[in-house]
Amino acid sequence: MKESVKELNTAEKYVEFFRKNQPVISEGDPAYLLQLREKAIGLFEAEGFPPKKQENYRYTHLEPWFGKEFARYFRERKIAFDIDDLFSCDIPSLETRILMILNGFFYSNGQKGLTELDNGIIYGSLREATRRYPELVGQYLGKNAEMEHEPFVALNTAFAQDGIFLFVPGNQHLEHPIQIIHLLLSDTDQMVQHRNLFIAGKNSRADIIICDHTLSPHMFLTNSVTEIYAEENADVDIIRLQNEHNSSFQVTNTWINQERNARSRHSTITLHGGMVRNNLHVKLQGEGAHTEALGLFLIDKKQHVDNFTVIEHRQPHCTSHQQFKGVLDDDATGVFNGKIQVFQDAQKTEAYQSNNNILLTDTARMHTKPQLVIHADDVKCSHGATVGQLDEEALFYLRSRGISVEESRLLLMYAFANDVISRIKEPALKNRISHLVEKRLRGELSRCNCCRMQCQD
Amino acid sequence: MLLKIRDLRVSVEDKEILKGIDLEVNPGEVHAIMGPNGSGKSTLASALVGKDYFQITHGKIDYEGKNLMELSPEDRAREGIFLGFQYPVEIPGVSMVNFLRTAVNELRKYRGEEPLAAGDFLKLMREKKQIVEIDSDLTSRSVNEGFSGGEKKKNEIFQMALLNPKLAILDETDSGLDIDALRIVANGVNKLRRPDNAIIVITHYQRLLEYIIPDFVHILYKGRIVKSGDKNLAVELEKHGYDWIKQELDVEAKLSE
């Protein structure tokens, strides 16, 4: 079945579209999911898209993007291609369990929809998990990602049909990182809304890598939600590598919920993308929880990247570190909006935030806005933001040793970016990302894998 | 002749700092340029390496028959000019190894040579480190970041050893060094002296010149070289202080009135 949104870019259009396609969208859904969708579409209908200049979306007005004409499919389409031919991720010496999402649906490539290990670890298709483990999934799905005043989460909740499910039971460790490769490949402009759910039980550990790729030159719009639960003393590390082409528009909504002494680290590396909006919302729900939010974006031409973060300190003795860095070339625009919210009971909070940006041209623009809302009196919070150029003294020093202007600039940009990259734990992945960033800065990156598509213009 | 400077005038933000400098340097020579603070010593060094903050308003700089002023800073380095900075800048995130390997290979490329393989480069580094007795592991450090004053100056001479320049300009390499570090740095420079290269040592004090024995000493005062001589001029200067030069010049100025 194929449907297209026409002319009007209003929220009502989406609601109407949902009602019309509901039987197909929710085909085979267990009761709790049907209810969740109903609630979601109701909230979306009440709220609509954020209006122009709404505070949280001041520099990124998304409604026009959602009003464009995209095809949307509610059943997995068979696309005649050999994935191994088109795509193989080449991170040398990094052993991962690769899971693919193709246009919003779990792509089994001959494997099982859900893999269940002897130690209780489960990973694979979320769609299948909602049916096979209704109690487990029902306990978590939609419980962390808020839909009120979050129209993109509500919209995704109503429409999403598949994505990746990961469950690591208490005291278990994922032996190898799970690598989720989110591929867009179509014969037409297309919109995709998928959903991921990761649950890390008590004392467990999970490393997850998410790669966003486009494999055909069509326009794509993605509105995805990833819900993450870190139970008591769990340790979760997520790295998201965004490398889509310039005609792709992406909204990611990541919600992390952490219980007592849980640790999380979320890194977003944006190498390419036409318009990217990353919403990261972390709730520190238990005492002693710690989170790190890292971000690096390298953009040029007319690319636009907006990182929006909310860190909620709800309990005492929690710590949070945020570091976001951007290099902007040509007419690129960037936004960083980082909110730290300290609740009344959250004494002894430590919350730090920094945002540093380099503008390489007079026409690149960066908007940066820290927001500290503090209701406790015994806290340590700090924020700092800079927007500047490359250090002239350093540039001259390098040139005086015979290094060309271009190469000198590159070394300095790379050094700037490396601050974030150096914090990636896994050495093989760190080296790979470091290599990709260098290629990106040299303007040589047209793809970060062995795919045969030349996605960049 | 390696370097020939004729009537060089240099301004900074429309203020004339150098008011007509003449200097000739031949291969194998060591020239010392001394002078009180604010006389223009560092301006001369910066003008020679092409820092664009300094505007050359008049004069010529001829280097191996080329007009130096037409060359970019990186091309001057590739042609064999090296500046040991008075205040080496810290560059966090750029590793020493990556920086130096890039520099060495850019120079090799300019000469039409193949780049050095990683292993050969590390070997070269180990060898040159000994010249200035650097024992720390530079491979894990960023350029000048967290280096002590002495380490920074040693690092400059270490780079000189690696890049093997024809003309090295050492701008107050002795400032901020204790006597042990001074000896190490000076010994390093002496090891790099050869009949086919030249060194310009810029210093405020004669102390450094007890270790690096110059062939010529020039005294720079108010933007001009007011006195030139051999190494004994530095000794004399140390004995009488800069007031001696100032008085002598002021007397001359009065007489000419």
Side-chain angles (χ1 to χ4, degrees), chain A residues 103-114:
Chain A
N103 302 331
F105 288 93
F106 181 76
Y107 183 77
S108 65
N109 201 17
Q111 297 170 330
K112 279 195 292 189
L114 272 181

Side-chain angles (χ1 to χ4, degrees), chain A residues 297-432:
Chain A
F297 60 94
L298 312 166
I299 51 176
D300 58 7
K301 298 188 182 121
K302 294 200 175 302
Q303 295 178 335
H304 177 88
V305 171
D306 181 344
N307 281 302
F308 183 92
T309 67
V310 179
I311 313 284
E312 290 183 24
H313 282 262
R314 289 172 171 265
Q315 294 293 327
H317 298 285
C318 292
T319 50
S320 67
H321 284 262
Q322 293 184 72
Q323 187 183 29
F324 282 78
K325 292 189 131 188
V327 180
L328 299 92
D329 203 350
D330 303 327
D331 303 316
T333 49
V335 185
F336 175 73
N337 191 324
K339 187 173 179 180
I340 298 171
Q341 215 172 342
V342 181
F343 287 63
Q344 204 170 352
D345 293 339
Q347 300 296 354
K348 304 285 180 194
T349 285
E350 284 186 35
Y352 306 104
Q353 180 191 88
S354 77
N355 173 232
N356 310 100
N357 307 284
I358 289 181
L359 303 181
L360 298 176
T361 63
D362 293 339
T363 45
R365 286 273 174 280
M366 181 70 205
H367 307 279
T368 175
K369 183 182 166 196
Q371 277 179 283
L372 270 63
V373 183
I374 300 171
H375 294 293
D377 48 22
D378 186 11
V379 302
K380 282 185 197 161
C381 292
S382 75
H383 65 84
T386 60
V387 179
Q389 285 84 38
L390 292 174
D391 180 352
E392 286 295 328
E393 290 291 318
L395 201 58
F396 184 78
Y397 188 81
L398 298 173
R399 292 178 70 193
S400 80
R401 297 301 183 244
I403 303 173
S404 67
V405 185
E406 298 75 28
E407 197 67 27
S408 300
R409 287 167 64 96
L410 201 77
L411 278 171
L412 293 181
M413 285 192 279
Y414 182 73
F416 177 80
N418 197 43
D419 229 11
V420 174
I421 303 165
S422 63
R423 296 170 84 131
I424 293 169
K425 281 191 306 195
E426 169 68 46
L429 187 63
K430 184 181 357 197
N431 289 342
R432 180 63 187 158

